[in-house]
Amino acid sequence: MRSEVKCVKKNYQLELTELAKDYPQQNFEQGLSKETAREKLAVEGPNKLTSRKTPRWQLFVRQFHNLIIYILMAAASLTLLMGHVSDAIVIAFVIIANALIGYYQEASASDALEKIKQMLSQQATVYREGQRIDLPAEELVTGDVVFLEAGDNVPADLRLVACDNLRIQEAGLTGEADSIEKQAQPLTGDYPLAEQNNMAFASTSVTNGSGLGVVVATAEATELGQISQEVQQVKKRRSPLMRQIDQIGKGVSSVVLVAAVVLFVLGLLFETYSLTVLALAVVTMIVGSIPEGLPATTSVILAMGVSEMAKKQQTIVKSLPAVETLGSVNVIATDKTGTLTKNEMTVTDLFLPTQQITVTGLGYEPVGQLLAEQRPVPVSAALQAFLQGGFEANDTELVETAGQWHINGEPTDGAFLTLYHKVFEAPPKDRELDLLPFDSDYRYIAKLVETPSGQQKIWIKGSPDKLIPLAKAADPDFDVAGWEQRVASLSKTGKRVVAVGVKNVTNETKVTHELLASGITWLGLAGIIDPPKEEVITALNEMKQAGVAVKMITGDHPLTAQTIGKKLGLADQVRVITGARWDELTLAKRSEVAVSHQVFARMTPKNKLEIIEALQASGAVTAMTGDGVNDAPALKQADIGVAMGRSGTDVAKDSADMILANDNFATLAKAIAEGRRIYDNIKKSILFLLPTSFAEGLIIAFTILAQQPMPLQATQLLWINMVSAITIQFAFIFEPAEEKIMERAPREQKSLMDRHDIFQMGYVSVLMAVISLLAYEIVIHLGADQATASTMMVNVIVVSKIFYFFNIRSSESAFSERVWANRKAFLIIGLMIGLQVLLTYAPFMQQIFQTTSINLVEWGLVIAAGALVLAVTEGDKWVRKSRLIAEQQP
């Protein structure tokens, strides 16, 4: 096992003296001895993550672990033993086709753990025996002292012991947009991950300054490693639809097997058939009744839906059932930063000494207005000075690449660059003389410049609590209470507050803290927020109308998170809970809180996973959206994980089932509608497929009970089930959505079919079977041979399916205008009729499937049988709609 510093205290609570005791002269820069490092490496193992990957051959073999497949394999073996080679070959083809489809779906998914492994730093700078050396990060052990500087990736979890203006970007791990100021002093009490500011975590990156840290965890023991373990341990749940289809498959198979045994016993008692004929008849009934086309048909509809989403909505779906699952979702849990918000800090409010200004425009694109009382503000000397101060006291760059604006540096600094360029195109012409970088002790940044006229100024920008005393030093009458009240009012709305000032100087070459301590001229305050994406609010309203609740999970401060939640309109009364409070709840209480609260703040990656589990325990079908490493376990646990394509880490994208290539959360609303359409069409296809399968089984069952010769061969039944069924069911792919599909509540997960669905399947099965047997008897009575009668019976079943298709494809009448809404259905039906003609008249098809030509009278019987099926089912639909209308009337 990996080891951490063995202490009752948590790492961030340790005193520097406790950390230094293992080094000579308690000097961190002495580091470990090489011998000690070797011994520890032998015990702890290398600082790298391991993962288990399922071999491809196991994925393929796994596809045969299915009750329907077992039954078909038994049927193929039995027909082969009885010498019916062609029947066995056709059944085997069906089995292999289904296995290949399932294998392709699983094998195409990437392994998230491989991406996590790549996130660990490759090299590390450490102190060993008083020397600073570079070595492979895999060789790090606990107790090693690591040197960090700007541009480095942190190679392991470190307890920082020395910091020089050190800032680390942890957004992927904690969800915090800005890089975090670090310090070396111990913390007292319990702190969530995002607030452990004397720790540096593996895979995060240093943006400013330098520092020293003692390794306290390596490999799986790091925060990143624990995430990888959680990802590895999470077992993906099958989608609601797949679970329901599994239940249908098992239920149908069980009933068919019991019926087959009963019929076999009855056949033996009747002594009408020889054992070989009876066995083949029972196998034929099993093959006809088992819906072997069900998995393949479902996969085809899903695959086409996935393809359409990729083209129209820039949505990449990695798992076919995922798109349908999204249609059944009733709760979406989402990360805030970069998903609901832009992850682009924006100045929204300005407080100048004599004026309050509202700033429009969101994100880093310098487009927007400065307004006072809804009117554009003229650029006064005070406003110009404030804008220039925010621009100059800055070490970040704002750049445009391919029409997209982004920054190199700190998001807060970037907000001031954007603010300046909303008013001025050209940058100031001042010449930089010196820069005082942001320091965590002083909490401001200052720049000494020389104007074109030769005047010197120091522009300063930073925390109000640091700049207010400097303003007071220059002006004894400075209104401290008034400005502190303005700071408080902005903070209460969840905004970050930054102050700007200036100091006129002469003949200076360097800016120092001592120089600024003598006082500055106060220029004003800015309120900054990471704004919600404009399209998100519209999408959330659509989701609310569709009965889908949205939960926001973030590492942010609870006040900030609650403010964003209100702006997004998550609920009329937004309820928020913190990670610390969540950890105190029992499992039962967590399920209750997960449902009743909308905002979850200061959450760890483990908390996110627990929230998803709590929602699922409450019976919710959950989607999780996110873009960071910290989102990976929850993305994998959710019924459907949705990652951001542009801003998302590779780990998040590989843990998810679906990727939004355009990072547009609003796409989810469209995807939900598409998922509902696909679900409807899959359900229609199942309600279409099962009655015809049952009808085929009933034909054989009725024949055995009537002690008559078998009217159909096993290969003919397989033709009906696989070829014709899949062909016509392609038409369901293109079936448009029912009206008001996004105004209905998410479907309940109890069962795929309601009482009427089961009733309809029953009477349609019996109707088709009876009509087919009557047509068979009529043709035999007219003098046709058995081959002609069975060929006509195959066509009766297939044409009945065509007529039944027009009934089942919509809740509207088959004779309404909607019949033309799916024009591709007519092309597919034409193809199916062509295949039937081929089956009936082509010599090689006649040889394989034991068919023969039929005449016009027999074709007339075929069409009449199909029309009768449509008439009966349309009459049922009319009765149901009439009753529904009557029930709705007062």
Coordinates of all heavy atoms in Angstrom, one line a residue, residues 189 197 275 288 594:
G189 N -8.3 23.3 12.0 CA -9.7 22.9 11.7 C -9.7 22.0 10.4 O -8.7 21.6 9.9
N197 N -4.9 25.7 1.1 CA -4.0 26.5 0.4 C -2.5 26.3 0.8 O -1.7 27.1 0.3 CB -4.4 28.0 0.5 CG -4.3 28.5 1.9 OD1 -3.9 27.8 2.8 ND2 -4.7 29.7 2.1
L275 N -40.7 -38.4 -33.7 CA -39.9 -37.7 -32.8 C -39.1 -36.6 -33.5 O -39.0 -35.5 -33.0 CB -38.9 -38.6 -32.0 CG -38.1 -37.9 -30.9 CD1 -39.0 -37.3 -29.8 CD2 -37.2 -39.0 -30.3
G288 N -39.3 -19.1 -34.2 CA -40.2 -18.1 -34.7 C -40.7 -17.1 -33.6 O -40.9 -15.9 -33.8
A594 N -30.4 15.4 -1.5 CA -30.1 15.4 -2.9 C -31.3 15.8 -3.8 O -31.1 16.5 -4.8 CB -29.5 14.1 -3.4

